[in-house]
Amino acid sequence: MKLIHLSDIHLTVPGSTIGGRDPRHNFERALRHVLADHSDAELMVITGDLSDWGDRADYEWLRGRLDGFPLPVRLCIGNHDNRAEFLSVFPEYAGSDGFAQGFQDTAAGRCLFLDTTEPQTHAGRYCPPRQDWLEQRLSEHDGPFLLFMHHNPMPTHLGPMDQIRLLDDAAFRRIVGRNRDKIRHIFFGHCHLPLGGSVAGVPASSLRGTNHASYPLFSEKAMLSASDLPEAYGVAFVGPDYVTVHMVEFGYQGAIRTEGSPDFAMWNRETMQR
């Protein structure tokens, strides 16, 4: 199975920019790139920060754009999103507990879409009602599961970034640990960085967003760090006994070269272009 992972699209009013980049324009570029190379994907998931300011108009525009998109799409919300405004436009995500959570079955297993948003803070929360929801979903199905969420569920060891991580990360990891045999992979956003690691023994990955990028500047202790690295989205291939995750830098403007055959016999000093 192939799935597409986008994050941190940060839609805002037409013509507005973030870091000198137009989020709507770059989101459209990402969608075109996805369809050009990955029209066979079974699912596309966008893990939060759908809107930069949580404006209803952004969700209405996104709804209209995705309603005509040929791939199935599922959404998570992030710290820049407004849950009430989001649910007013995407009511199908509303759970009985008031959070924007859900699931979808795929060829690779059951995908769970988590709500880690907390009003009036950029940090993530996973309070007891949300923990109970996750425990119940994991207990009612044999799996395997893929988890999608916005906030990073483990420390990055970047001081300013970890101030706005999932603050209930230890409790979340305990739930994951109890169910690690069922969970294949955890996909998250929020950090605007390519990240890989594990959560209670379960592999996890993140990526740059479709607009602005961060940078792992470990010497900066107070402020979040930004860069002009290319915009990106993710492609994951989920097989019976493996998961492969790529970060595709669709915003890269340089040349892409073919350097040689994978045939070892063709590698020689006379013909190789180096």
Side-chain angles (χ1 to χ4, degrees), residues 62-73:
L62 181 63
R63 168 117 248 176
R65 186 63 184 85
L66 295 181
D67 280 350
F69 195 64
L71 298 181
V73 182

Side-chain angles (χ1 to χ4, degrees), residues 109 119 175 202 213 267:
I175 297 172
V202 175
W267 289 60

